[in-house]
Amino acid sequence: MALEAAKSQYRQVADLLRAAIEREEYAPGSLLPSESELAAEYGVSRVTINRAVQLLRGEGMVRVLRGRGTAVRAIPPIRRNSNLRYARSSREEEGSRGAFDFELKRLGLKPATKLAQLGQVPAPETARQVLGLEATDTVLIRKREMYASDEPVLLATSYFPWILAEQAGVTETDTGPGGTYSRLAEIGKGPVRFSEDLRVRTPTAAEERFFALAETQQVYEIVHISYLPDGTAIEYREDVLPTHQWVMHFEWNAENDTKSGETER
Amino acid sequence: MALEAAKSQYRQVADLLRAAIEREEYAPGSLLPSESELAAEYGVSRVTINRAVQLLRGEGMVRVLRGRGTAVRAIPPIRRNSNLRYARSSREEEGSRGAFDFELKRLGLKPATKLAQLGQVPAPETARQVLGLEATDTVLIRKREMYASDEPVLLATSYFPWILAEQAGVTETDTGPGGTYSRLAEIGKGPVRFSEDLRVRTPTAAEERFFALAETQQVYEIVHISYLPDGTAIEYREDVLPTHQWVMHFEWNAENDTKSGETER
């Protein structure tokens, strides 16, 4: 039973360290005390401290900075209120450029978006199918790298039918107050229903680098689709987000008894 | 650059193995060839195979059976259609005992539910707050361990105000066709709106054992709340699910311009 007891001990230490970080006893972004200091403080071996820190690393509570030590999580998890974030009043609040701007400001974090790709491209197969496009049709791609107070927290890649994007005037870098959805609404093509498929997966090598993830960390991959009232999909988007940085909130009404929600999309 | 190339190689091998598993070239539940056989087949070192298998293990594509080898994932990821699963027609389809029964049967998997706890208990603090109960009020706890073709895939713990549960007659083991929500609907207390908060976290030791998770695997923790038309919460539930076994689907209508979705719950 010695093994079981040891396991329990490092989990206990991890719980104490996690609670201390949540109470901000160790300041956000600061360095943790050294392993030997922590071992003395908690009255356990350095091996136990090391295992506890590895656990917290996987959770994103701390980050190992090579040659400098172990840094405490700089920003708290962000709550993504899927229902609220796309409401016009949210997207346009104080001139926000869309949902992300809005939710970051609420948390007192500094939003920043870097356009990684913007332009007219052939539609990737998945986007093409969802948007009901022909093989020769093109799409507007808007690929953004998004930061919360300098921490990379989101990679979002949207695809809109090119013709629609041109009509709405969202082919430019700045889509104006309220972002793309407000411009679409202005030409009578504002989305009224959304669907998201969310899974958790291992990051690609590029994602691991961009988010500076530890080896055991994973990402949410969300396929977000926006619909017009008649059910036409007008946006296909893929979001990638480190799991430790986000809490996802959804609300919905019970479906009627008609299995209307059953349509395969 | 040698390190970068090695990393890339094990990821490439993992991609090939994953694709082969998805094509069912390696049958669900069967043992993978040995590391030396795979090394020969893919023309790489055993170290590379080992790293690729570790990656797939973290993803839940394979499982290490001590002393026996590495087994291929037995069941595919389950799609949780949050909108559809609670519709009455779904819950009652072919006498299903609720949402889980319904979605498992759809996939050709065998649902099984084991009641781990059922009874009248003091309300835990979080449930009490959400349900608007007094400290002296009690709740019905329904804690279920749920299996898909013998694989543990879900731990669900529901809390209902005790008085309501008694009225609806859901204090028994079998809640009848359509499950709890159908009984609640029969006394005019059927839920009409749901909210879920979803996060990803390290499993507890007990969860790690129950789901037989590898050390790097994580779980979804979902707080599910069911509401009456007047906004009263009648169920507080915590679901725990291994991330590799589920894909989450949500659909919702755009909020009005009134920030109605902003209510903090």
Side-chain angles (χ1 to χ4, degrees), chain B residues 16 19-28 30 41-42:
Chain B
L16 292 169
I21 291 170
E22 283 169 353
R23 282 194 308 271
E24 303 204 351
E25 219 163 272
Y26 302 114
S30 71
E41 191 177 332
Y42 289 93

Side-chain angles (χ1 to χ4, degrees), chain A residues 155-185:
Chain A
L155 280 170
T157 311
S158 290
Y159 301 91
F160 298 92
W162 178 257
I163 292 172
L164 181 68
E166 271 202 316
Q167 284 170 350
V170 293
T171 58
E172 303 296 315
T173 306
D174 184 356
T175 54
T180 315
Y181 292 172
S182 292
R183 301 296 80 69
L184 286 165

